[in-house]
Amino acid sequence: MTHSENIDDIDSLILQILSSDPRAPYSEIAEKVQQAGYEMSSEGIRYRVSKLIDTTTVFFLLDPEDIRWEIVRIAVEAVDEEGAKDEVFRMLGEMRFWHVVRGIGTYDVYAVGMAPTLREIDDLVTEVEESDAVERVDHIVVTERDSSMGDYYFSSNPLDTSED
């Protein structure tokens, strides 16, 4: 996997356009990028999209109202022992969690998973809680979601022409 040096404003704009219309032709993307004040050819857009594909991941955000499975998000604090954070991260990666991250913050590992029933979600959370490497688990079963990909890709949207 190749990593780019940085994702600039043009790359962010391209990602925002593709998040709204993944099938947008390069010529249409080039027009929208031009409207935002950047001159890019269709070939330049194609090149940037190719580079972005190497540095991004597909991240489908399911709306809980549109699926029959339950979505759970958990935040896990590991016990204060050497290797515990690694153990929790590995354990969650082997369970029914499709998004597992580790970082610095108020908890050690965060994960998102799915199961067909609330009972199976409860069993999943209980299994995590019973691990010797786990101090505490907070969780939420998602019932509604609101996502703004424009806020994800930009601090301000150069394509937004509405007045405040």
Side-chain angles (χ1 to χ4, degrees):
M1 182 165 131
T2 309
H3 295 282
S4 67
E5 294 293 319
N6 289 310
I7 292 182
D8 63 14
D9 289 343
I10 296 171
D11 293 331
S12 294
L13 181 56
I14 292 169
L15 286 169
Q16 181 182 9
I17 293 165
L18 289 173
S19 74
S20 297
D21 182 4
R23 294 182 180 203
Y26 296 136
S27 59
E28 184 179 311
I29 297 171
E31 287 176 23
K32 289 181 179 182
V33 167
Q34 185 175 3
Q35 290 171 2
Y38 304 103
E39 281 293 323
M40 291 286 305
S41 66
S42 294
E43 184 61 24
I45 297 294
R46 185 200 61 76
Y47 173 77
R48 282 184 177 249
V49 168
S50 295
K51 285 183 66 177
L52 287 168
I53 287 171
D54 289 340
T55 59
T56 59
T57 61
V58 177
F59 196 82
F60 297 103
L61 299 173
L62 299 172
D63 190 335
E65 295 174 353
D66 293 336
I67 63 169
R68 292 196 172 116
W69 280 42
E70 303 295 337
I71 301 170
V72 65
R73 298 175 184 268
I74 68 169
V76 181
E77 180 184 344
V79 296
D80 189 17
E81 295 176 10
E82 188 172 332
K85 293 176 187 178
D86 294 332
E87 172 62 22
V88 170
F89 185 77
R90 183 199 58 73
M91 176 185 71
L92 294 178
E94 293 173 357
M95 295 174 73
R96 192 174 228 156
F97 295 101
W98 57 269
H99 180 70
V100 181
V101 296
R102 185 175 157 183
I104 300 169
T106 57
Y107 47 85
D108 299 311
V109 181
Y110 171 81
V112 181
M114 293 173 51
T117 66
L118 285 173
R119 175 68 187 169
E120 289 180 63
I121 291 290
D122 188 50
D123 291 346
L124 187 62
V125 172
T126 298
E127 184 178 349
V128 173
E129 290 172 329
E130 290 176 348
S131 168
D132 292 338
V134 170
E135 179 71 30
R136 178 178 160 202
V137 175
D138 291 327
H139 73 282
I140 181 172
V141 175
V142 180
T143 59
E144 191 174 353
R145 176 184 57 79
D146 178 28
S147 297
S148 173
M149 295 312 285
D151 290 337
Y152 178 75
Y153 295 123
F154 278 102
S155 58
S156 64
N157 180 351
L159 296 178
D160 185 5
T161 57
S162 64
E163 298 294 320
D164 288 330

